[in-house]
Every structure is written in C-alpha cells, then in structure tokens.
Amino acid sequence: MTGFFGGGGVCTHCRCRAMVPLKRRRKDGGAAPIAGVQERAPVNRFPGVEIFLLERRMGSSRRAFLTQLARRKGFRVQDTLGDSVTHLVSESNSGDEVWEWLDRQTGGQTPGSLSLLDISWFTDSMETGRPVEILDRHRLQVSAPRSDPEEPRISAYACQRRTPLDHLNKIFTDALEVLAENAEFSESEGRGLAFRKAGSVLRSLPFAVSRMEDLRGVPCLGEHSRKIIQEILEDGVSGEVEGVLRSERYRAMKALTGVFGVGVKTADRWAREGLRTPGDLLTSGHRLSREQEAGVRYYEDLNCPVTRAEADAIGEIVEEAVHSILPGARVTLMGGFRRGKEAGHDVDLLITHPEEGKEEGLLGKLTSWLDSQGVLLYQRVSEGSGGRGRESGPMDHFHRSFSILKLGEQPGAQPGASSADQTQEAAAPRGQGGAQGRGWRAVRVDLVICPYSQYAYALLGWTGSQQFERDLRRFASQERDMSLNSHGLYQREQNRYLPAASEEEIFTHLGLEFIPPPQRNA
Ligand code: UTP
Ligand code: MN
C-alpha cells in the first residue's frame, strides 16, 4: 500500500494512531478549504491560539485528518491563512521554504507575530491535550532573523523601489525578458507581465542573487520565474530560455515586430504565412501601410541603438526649430535617456510653453520647419483630443508626432559619408545598407506637445520605465483611490484633479517618497 502507513497504523511522522495517507507533493501549499473536513464552528478551548496547517508536502488528506483531530480536541484550526492565525504548522518543509511560500501568499506582508512551527509542536500539543509552550526545537529554522520590524521590506510596487540602471542580476533579467517577449508574442499579456514584474524586482536588488534563499522576502516572483532563476543558478543557463531563443517562431516574431508600425497581431499573421524577415516583406507582395513602408525602408537604422550623443543632437535640432517658431518654448528629453541610459530605441521630446495656450498649433509649424530642412523622413500626427482622459487608461491625448528624423553628421554622432543611398536594403546584415558610409542615419523621434499645466504629469508619464509607470498608476488606483495618467491625477472620491508644478509634487500627492529618474529603471 504505497503512500499509506502500513502495519499498526501508527503515523511515523507525528505518532498519532491512524492510517493516514501521506501525500508527497502538491503545487499550491494549501490556502484552499480543507478537503473532507466538515464545516462547523468548532469550539475553541484555547483562545489566542489559532492554527493553520500548511498543505505543502503534507498533502490534503493528511491535512484534513490532522485538522479533524485538533478540532475534536478543542483547538481552533483555520482553513485559510488569515490575520488571526498565530501558529503556522508545517511538515517536511524547511523554514526558508515556508517563508518563501508565505511571501508569495501575502506579497511580503507576513506579520512578524506569526510562529512558524514544525509538526513536532502540533504532535506534542495533541498528546498533551493543550497547546504546549513553543520550544526552540519546535521552531522552523530560517537562515536569518526575519521578524525584525526595522528590516525594510521590498515593496511589490516598482514606484516604491529604487532601481538603478546598472544592476547586479542581469543574467536573470535577460532570461526573464526573453520569456516575457515570447509570452507577448502569443498575446499572453498576463504571463508576459508576470515575467516583467519578476525581472523588475530583481533589477532593484542591491546584491547579486547567488542562491535561492537570497530570494526570501522578495515579492513579485512567481513559481515559473523562480524555476528559471533556479535553473540558471544550477546550470548557468535556462534550458527553456535557450529553447525559445532557438525557436524559429520567436526569431521571426522578433524580426517582424522590430519593423516600425508592425504590432504583434500583424507579425503573427505574417509569421504563420511563412515570412521570417523584413526582407521577405519586400518580395512577398504584401500591402504595407505608409508607416510599415518607412519601417522596412529604415529597418536597419531603427534597429541600431540611438546613442546619447545622437539623442542630444536631435534635441538640439528640435530646440532650434522650436525657438525660431515660438521663443520661450521648452524642449525636454524624456524616456530612457532622462533615466541615464546611454542608448535607446528612440528619442522622446516634450515641448511646452510657460504661457498656457501658446503651445497650440506649434506641432504643425515645427514639423513643417523640419520638413523644409529635409530632416523629416516620415511622420504620423496624432491629434490631441484636449481632454484629460480621466479614466481612459494609460493612453494620453497629447498632440503628438511619431516621426523618423534624418540625423546628419553631427559632432559626437556616429555615422559618416555620402548621402547617395536613400533606401536601405531592408534586413541587410549590419553594415551592408544602413547608416554606415552614408553620412546620415534615420532616428525614431516622438514629439509631444503639452499644455504647461500638465507638464509635470507628462514628464513623469513619459520618463518611464514602462514598469515604473505601470506600478505608479496601479499604486494610485489601488492604494489611493486616484487615477493617474500623463495629463493629471484625479481624486475619485472628491471628484477633482490635483494640480502639480513638479514631479516631486506628484509623488507628494500620492504619499510616495520621491524617486529621481535614474532610480526609475524598473
Ligand atoms: P519608450 O517606449 O520610448 O521607452 O517610452 P524608453 O524607456 O524611452 O526606452 P527606449 O530606450 O526608448 O527603448 C518612454 C516612456 O513613455 C511612455 C511610457 O511610459 C514609457 O515608459 N509612453 C510611451 C507613453 O506614455 N505613451 C506612449 O505612447 C509611449
Ligand atoms: Mn524612448
């Protein structure tokens, strides 16, 4: 009879007399109602003692049996892990494993008052007929003291963490990034987000993870992400990630979504038709949108990282143009470069004027000016709706141009040579048809116009990182009953907008410690 205690039916684990199935493993630790245990309000002979039995490694039937046993003796046993639980009892788990499990359940908010106990405490108590005093041998050993209320907890919100650009866990975050992309390529947004959150929290750790125990108390790490980390710790690489990187589908989706103007849905359709590279698009006879045509034409340049020097050069061109049209207007570099990145995929520029209203009509004049100088290779303008989009989600309504600008030879900028080659060979290997030897390169630029009163919100919203922004909005909504986007902060209960003249003020409105841009690389 495998899985059951044989012979006289004495449980060798806790010495209670019964035939008890001992189930080895179940994925979830057991916050679910206990199977086979009848719901009734048991008497509690021992106020102040509330037990929770961890199902992980104990198994559901054994847990049900022990629950009934204890309840018959007048102990209160809770089916779920609530705030009132005082004694958590586990079997065959290490203290570290239980901590990890707890952190996943409570998002790192486990109360320090909860005692983590081995089954021996439970057994002794059942034998004695009352809760015995907790001795050292009853306690689960954890690697380091955890219940210190002074110890700072890692927040599950990226906007409550400091995340520098250079961090110590790149080997893990690179792997998780691949899995996030791969999930998004199959439109599994939820799974993608879980990997992104895991990567984001690892970026904030002030130490390099070298063993699984280092992750104790670290929130936002799901089973799957932990498995990947463990694999990398043990083998140096993750087999699953390597498999994704090798897969034809991932490679095709990566190449096709790398075309400006091509989203996941379109790339997926093309990949299913057998297209593999942007070059295939030129020969396949597919009808391309104007945006996609530009994306294919400038494919190589747009997939070659924009340097900081190039971003500054673009900023200067735009600033010069803006000042010639509207003196006093301000141009601010946002996005990754404002967070200190040395390279990026585009240049994000915010344009405003201290006299509200003066910015109206500026975008048209600016792009005409750029066009007249031969600098505007492509643009699509998104008309501002003017509204603040109170509950409209993260998309904003600014007057904005998604453009591709031509960056000539600039002091500090990379490319150089003749401008004869007007069309790039799409998908040509680097160096065969791109900026090399041509004297100019194409750069993706986002030009965003905002009214001065929304400047701080626009700046905060466009500085990123995306994960930081996502958690700022989630924090505002879930913790403050407010709605945040790039136009403003709306207080739902009082039905009003909170004005802010600086990013610092917005953090203050939200009751958050200010995090400067270089620490927002979540
Ligand atoms: P980016 O996509 O440009 O990211 O958006 P990035 O951080 O600058 O990184 P690279 O180097 O270019 O790849 C910058 C920020 O602007 C916001 C996002 O929150 C993002 O974090 N954004 C972007 C919007 O609010 N709306 C958009 O349509 C695009
Ligand atoms: Mn950017």
Side-chain angles (χ1 to χ4, degrees):
M1 257 176 105
T2 44
F4 283 79
F5 294 100
V10 180
C11 165
T12 50
H13 274 247
C14 69
R15 307 189 302 278
C16 51
R17 302 202 150 265
M19 299 266 287
V20 190
L22 182 76
K23 207 173 142 218
R24 276 288 155 211
R25 245 164 219 273
R26 236 183 79 158
K27 271 263 166 74
D28 86 72
I34 302 170
V37 176
Q38 284 195 340
E39 289 305 321
R40 65 193 155 94
V43 281
N44 183 9
R45 288 177 53 213
F46 313 108
V49 175
E50 296 202 13
I51 299 170
F52 174 78
L53 292 165
L54 183 63
E55 190 169 303
R56 187 178 192 270
R57 299 220 169 109
M58 182 184 283
S60 56
S61 12
R62 182 166 159 75
R63 180 176 184 230
F65 167 80
L66 296 178
T67 299
Q68 276 174 326
L69 176 75
R71 285 183 181 165
R72 271 204 305 277
K73 289 177 183 284
F75 287 79
R76 174 153 292 167
V77 183
Q78 298 292 5
D79 291 353
T80 51
L81 182 66
D83 289 342
S84 63
V85 171
T86 54
H87 294 57
L88 184 150
V89 174
S90 105
E91 185 168 38
S92 311
N93 290 289
S94 72
D96 289 334
E97 287 171 324
V98 173
W99 261 117
E100 258 184 60
W101 180 87
L102 270 170
D103 280 334
R104 279 202 300 279
Q105 303 298 308
T106 63
Q109 304 299 311
T110 305
S113 56
L114 181 65
S115 297
L116 303 192
L117 303 170
D118 182 61
I119 193 76
S120 60
W121 174 84
F122 184 89
T123 316
D124 289 355
S125 299
M126 293 307 117
E127 279 187 354
T128 316
R130 60 174 172 74
V132 297
E133 185 191 345
I134 298 173
L135 304 174
D136 274 351
R137 65 180 174 84
H138 292 136
R139 286 188 196 278
L140 289 177
Q141 298 304 309
V142 282
S143 311
R146 281 303 304 258
S147 50
D148 180 0
E150 300 291 303
E151 187 183 326
R153 287 268 178 194
I154 300 171
S155 172
Y157 290 106
C159 56
Q160 288 185 303
R161 303 191 296 253
R162 288 175 186 269
T163 314
L165 197 56
D166 294 315
H167 65 91
L168 302 162
N169 292 292
K170 208 164 161 351
I171 185 168
F172 308 110
T173 56
D174 284 352
L176 293 167
E177 165 96 22
V178 171
L179 296 183
E181 275 183 327
N182 195 47
E184 286 154 5
F185 288 161
S186 27
E187 294 184 65
S188 305
E189 295 301 328
R191 259 189 329 124
L193 193 56
F195 289 127
R196 294 212 179 273
K197 282 181 159 186
S200 171
V201 78
L202 291 178
R203 283 189 180 87
S204 75
L205 299 181
F207 57 87
V209 173
S210 62
R211 33 178 218 147
M212 286 310 281
E213 292 85 83
D214 291 343
L215 298 177
R216 203 157 33 78
V218 177
C220 311
L221 295 175
E223 291 274 354
H224 199 153
S225 297
R226 280 175 188 269
K227 203 189 90 200
I228 300 298
I229 296 167
Q230 186 158 15
E231 244 187 310
I232 295 172
L233 285 173
E234 286 168 5
D235 309 331
V237 286
S238 153
E240 184 179 346
V241 173
E242 295 297 298
V244 168
L245 285 172
R246 273 194 308 268
S247 81
E248 207 183 329
R249 164 153 173 103
Y250 171 82
R251 293 157 79 123
M253 288 297 288
K254 182 94 179 153
L256 296 172
T257 56
V259 178
F260 175 55
V262 178
V264 166
K265 277 200 170 71
T266 306
D268 179 65
R269 200 174 61 239
W270 290 343
R272 283 171 201 279
E273 291 170 18
L275 301 193
R276 290 291 167 264
T277 68
D280 294 345
L281 281 170
L282 295 177
T283 49
S284 68
H286 280 79
R287 274 183 66 99
L288 301 181
S289 68
R290 210 169 56 85
E291 192 168 41
Q292 291 163 349
E293 253 173 39
V296 171
R297 183 174 314 130
Y298 303 114
Y299 182 75
E300 201 190 334
D301 275 3
L302 300 188
N303 280 281
C304 174
V306 182
T307 65
R308 173 80 210 203
E310 288 166 342
D312 287 339
I314 292 278
E316 278 165 29
I317 293 171
V318 171
E319 196 158 39
E320 195 196 332
V322 165
H323 286 163
S324 74
I325 301 161
L326 182 65
R330 290 187 196 168
V331 179
T332 311
L333 181 60
M334 313 177 290
F337 291 111
R338 185 161 179 255
R339 302 195 309 274
K341 278 173 74 170
E342 279 303 321
H345 97 283
D346 68 354
V347 181
D348 307 292
L349 294 169
L350 181 62
I351 304 163
T352 189
H353 192 285
E355 264 176 73
E356 185 121 353
K358 285 239 169 163
E359 80 287 351
E360 280 171 29
L362 177 57
L363 190 64
K365 290 178 193 150
L366 170 61
T367 54
S368 296
W369 191 95
L370 293 170
D371 199 19
S372 72
Q373 303 292 306
V375 172
L376 191 66
L377 295 173
Y378 167 87
Q379 80 157 335
R380 177 166 62 85
V381 171
S382 157
E383 292 297 330
S385 70
R388 286 206 258 201
R390 186 164 79 198
E391 301 281 0
S392 64
M395 280 308 288
D396 50 56
H397 307 272
F398 293 122
H399 200 194
R400 160 183 174 189
S401 166
F402 306 82
S403 60
I404 300 175
L405 299 192
K406 181 174 178 176
L407 181 63
E409 215 165 350
Q410 299 283 328
Q414 270 179 348
S418 85
S419 61
D421 177 17
Q422 285 284 321
T423 352
Q424 286 186 41
E425 191 66 30
R430 179 141 315 157
Q432 278 189 13
Q436 300 279 313
R438 170 166 29 65
W440 60 272
R441 69 162 290 181
V443 179
R444 266 277 297 123
V445 180
D446 275 347
L447 301 168
V448 184
I449 309 285
C450 89
Y452 197 63
S453 61
Q454 297 174 20
Y455 176 75
Y457 285 104
L459 184 61
L460 177 61
W462 275 81
T463 294
S465 70
Q466 212 177 352
Q467 213 50 42
F468 190 90
E469 302 297 336
R470 198 175 261 147
D471 277 3
L472 262 179
R473 294 191 296 265
R474 193 165 64 91
F475 180 90
S477 174
Q478 295 181 357
E479 306 294 327
R480 300 289 185 255
D481 196 25
M482 293 179 184
S483 173
L484 174 72
N485 61 22
S486 294
H487 299 271
L489 181 62
Y490 173 73
Q491 210 169 26
R492 292 198 189 108
E493 207 184 351
Q494 275 101 341
N495 186 23
R496 63 172 185 143
Y497 284 97
L498 301 176
S502 65
E503 285 188 328
E504 282 85 345
E505 265 187 65
I506 304 172
F507 280 81
T508 303
H509 285 324
L510 288 166
L512 283 170
E513 196 182 322
F514 180 68
I515 309 271
Q519 304 281 339
R520 295 182 202 159
N521 288 289

